[in-house]
Amino acid sequence: LYTGQTEKNIVTAAMSAGGRYALVTEAAQGTNMVTVYNTNHNGLYQYNAAKQYVTGVALNDAGNMLCVLSVSAENAVYKSTVQLFSLSSTEPLYKVDFTDELLYQVYFDSNSTIQFLSASRCGKLDADGQLNASYDFGGKKLVKAAYQNGETLLCLEDAVHAAQNNILVLKSDL
C-alpha cells in the first residue's frame, strides 16, 4: 500500500499494467500538469498542458507511452485533441484534433494504437495518428462503455424505442 499527497487538485489518472501511473493535476490559470510516476512513486515525465484542459490520459502496458486527451475552445467551437508521447521525448509523436467533437475517453489498444470514445462514435488511431477504424452509434445515446483486453463493450440507448437498445462488443479491429 502506498499513500501520498498532491499540492494541487487531481483531475484524472491512469495506470499501466506494469505499475507506472499518470496523474493529472490542476496547474496555473486553468491548465493541467500531467506527471508519470514509476513504481517507486518517483516522477519520470511531465507534460504541461498549456491552453488545454486534460480530460483523460492512458499509458500503454509497458508504461513508456502516454496518451493525453484534452479539450479547448476557440471562437465558440470546442475541440478535442489526442496526443501521443514517448516518455523519452517532450514532443508528441502525433497530435490529432477533433473539431466540434467531444471525446470522452482514450485507451491503448496496443503499444502505440489508441482507441477513443465520443458521444457519437468510437474509433482507432494507428501509430501515426491516422484514423483507421470508426464505429458510429447511429444517433443512439452512449450509456456506458468499458474496455478490457482489446474489446470494447458499448451500451447504446434509443431515446424513442427501448426495444432498439443495443449492447455491442467490438473486437480490437472495430
Side-chain angles (χ1 to χ4, degrees), residues 52-172:
Q52 303 167 8
Y53 187 77
V54 177
T55 58
V57 289
L59 289 166
N60 67 346
D61 286 347
N64 60 3
M65 302 285 281
L66 169 70
C67 181
V68 176
L69 170 61
S70 61
V71 294
S72 60
E74 290 181 27
N75 302 322
V77 176
Y78 61 88
K79 174 176 65 173
S80 296
T81 301
V82 175
Q83 295 181 88
L84 180 65
F85 295 90
S86 166
L87 297 192
S88 62
S89 174
T90 58
E91 293 299 315
L93 298 172
Y94 65 72
K95 177 181 175 181
V96 180
D97 292 326
F98 295 83
T99 302
D100 225 13
E101 184 174 9
L102 185 60
L103 274 58
Y104 295 136
Q105 189 175 8
V106 290
Y107 42 89
F108 277 88
D109 189 37
S110 68
N111 275 332
S112 59
T113 304
I114 301 295
Q115 285 201 25
F116 66 85
L117 188 60
S118 77
S120 60
R121 67 180 173 143
C122 61
K124 181 191 265 187
L125 300 173
D126 66 17
D128 297 320
Q130 299 298 312
L131 182 66
N132 68 3
S134 181
Y135 178 83
D136 188 275
F137 300 159
K140 293 186 179 183
K141 176 185 171 191
L142 177 66
V143 177
K144 183 70 177 169
Y147 178 80
Q148 187 71 33
N149 298 327
E151 295 184 349
T152 304
L153 170 70
L154 300 172
C155 301
L156 303 175
E157 181 178 82
D158 189 298
V160 178
H161 306 289
Q164 295 179 13
N165 293 341
N166 296 101
I167 297 173
L168 304 169
V169 177
L170 303 174
K171 302 292 184 185
S172 63

Side-chain angles (χ1 to χ4, degrees), residues 6-52:
T6 64
E7 294 178 11
K8 303 287 185 177
N9 291 334
I10 298 170
V11 175
T12 189
M15 186 172 236
S16 75
R20 289 183 175 182
Y21 57 97
L23 191 62
V24 180
T25 55
E26 291 179 346
Q29 301 164 347
T31 63
N32 301 123
M33 178 65 71
V34 181
T35 306
V36 177
Y37 296 88
N38 65 16
T39 56
N40 295 321
H41 316 289
N42 298 315
L44 294 174
Y45 184 86
Q46 281 195 321
Y47 169 67
N48 185 357
K51 299 181 184 177
Q52 303 167 8

